[in-house]
Amino acid sequence: MNRFTQAIVRVPSANLAEGISSAGLGRPDLALAFAQHAAYCDALRACGLEVITLPAEERHPDATFVEDTAVIAGRVAVIARPGAASRLGEERSILECLRGMRSTIAQIRAPGTLDGGDVCQAEDHFFVGVSARTNPEGAGQFCEAVRAAGYTASTVDIRTNPLLLHLKSGVAYLGEGRLLAAPGLPRTPELTRFEWLEVPAEETYAANAVRINDRLLVARGFAGTARMLEARGYATLALDVSEFRKLDGGLSCLSLRF
Ligand code: CIR
């Protein structure tokens, strides 16, 4: 499992509540969202990461979901091309931020679209979701970029599962050859090479956990998943991200870790 040293986050914008949402959980409370975001940043620091904080992007209410704008792997960065029209352009400031930090920067080009939330790295393999946001062209461009850097890659079509906005809404790599999976995640040959831990059906949201060095960030409030992970010896750190969940966001989407 990679050891991470840094993370990029973006302060939520004042118009966060205008972000895209299908959750049906109501409008986010802005003050609470800010507090949850601050606690999330503290948790990243507690995992040993230096946190680089980008300013809010008032033109893009979803820009705090910074994971969707890029994927960083070793010395390579791939700048995404968000699949939702209102999010197109969020990737520009990430490109500026990453220039100088990475020697190779690839970019997804039109007609390709790719959201970083559709990319799940498991050791030297990348799983790339084909979703309502990431089209086959974007997934193909991404696979080419990481293969050129010596990684392997395969696609996972999640378009038939309405519960999964992104691939990582339904799977997390836990390290040690193990995946945390939501029920209904397609069993592709590449995915089934790993051991699966499946979250209970009513806890699909909890499949979006984030392994950072020796800790595992999990969403607070999913007791079945927490028990299962703790029984396996994971040092979990439970975080409340209720206000981001209202906008279909999970734990992983609030940072880019590298
Ligand atoms: C969106 O629909 O794009 C945002 N409201 C949520 C993005 C969440 N991103 C992620 O899980 N990687």
Side-chain angles (χ1 to χ4, degrees):
M1 184 89 197
N2 290 338
R3 283 199 79 81
F4 298 116
T5 57
Q6 289 175 295
I8 296 173
V9 300
R10 187 189 288 288
V11 176
S13 65
N15 60 358
L16 177 72
E18 310 311 320
I20 307 167
S21 173
S22 66
L25 296 171
R27 278 171 79 81
D29 175 314
L30 207 53
L32 187 52
F34 276 107
Q36 291 179 349
H37 194 266
Y40 179 88
C41 295
D42 286 344
L44 295 178
R45 291 186 194 98
C47 294
L49 305 189
E50 177 202 346
V51 177
I52 299 164
T53 306
L54 302 180
E57 273 256 25
E58 303 302 340
R59 278 168 307 160
H60 296 290
D62 282 306
T64 194
F65 302 117
V66 71
E67 173 184 65
D68 291 323
T69 57
V71 178
I72 307 173
R75 299 201 332 272
V76 181
V78 180
I79 305 299
R81 187 166 178 275
S86 65
R87 302 199 61 186
L88 207 52
E90 285 180 23
E91 71 284 4
R92 279 189 213 119
S93 55
I94 294 293
L95 175 59
E96 290 319 308
C97 171
L98 292 178
R99 255 196 244 283
M101 292 173 81
R102 283 295 175 276
S103 52
T104 310
I105 300 190
Q107 272 187 270
I108 303 299
R109 308 276 180 197
T113 61
L114 177 118
D115 279 11
D118 274 315
V119 178
C120 177
Q121 184 177 4
E123 305 299 343
D124 287 340
H125 189 80
F126 284 91
F127 294 106
V128 189
V130 175
S131 67
R133 300 293 176 85
T134 296
N135 63 16
E137 167 70 27
Q141 289 181 26
F142 181 86
C143 291
E144 248 176 64
V146 293
R147 283 181 190 137
Y151 297 92
T152 56
S154 59
T155 56
V156 184
D157 194 334
I158 58 163
R159 286 174 291 186
T160 53
N161 189 333
L163 294 179
L164 304 183
L165 171 62
H166 291 119
L167 177 63
K168 272 197 304 230
S169 314
V171 67
Y173 182 57
L174 298 175
E176 293 86 32
R178 205 176 271 150
L179 299 172
L180 183 64
L185 184 73
R187 289 189 174 264
T188 67
E190 292 85 1
L191 277 168
T192 51
R193 280 196 208 122
F194 291 82
E195 181 192 346
W196 286 38
L197 292 185
E198 196 164 284
V199 303
E202 66 286 6
E203 297 193 7
T204 289
Y205 183 76
N208 181 250
V210 188
R211 172 79 186 261
I212 304 179
N213 303 336
D214 302 325
R215 308 298 300 265
L216 183 65
L217 305 189
V218 294
R220 182 169 294 163
F222 297 90
T225 303
R227 268 197 306 275
M228 176 174 71
L229 292 168
E230 283 153 18
R232 296 279 183 148
Y234 288 101
T236 60
L237 191 50
L239 293 174
D240 192 355
V241 282
S242 61
E243 302 317 291
F244 300 101
R245 186 180 182 196
K246 290 175 181 171
L247 297 164
D248 305 331
L251 278 174
S252 71
C253 58
L254 291 172
S255 62
L256 266 171
R257 303 150 301 277
F258 53 101

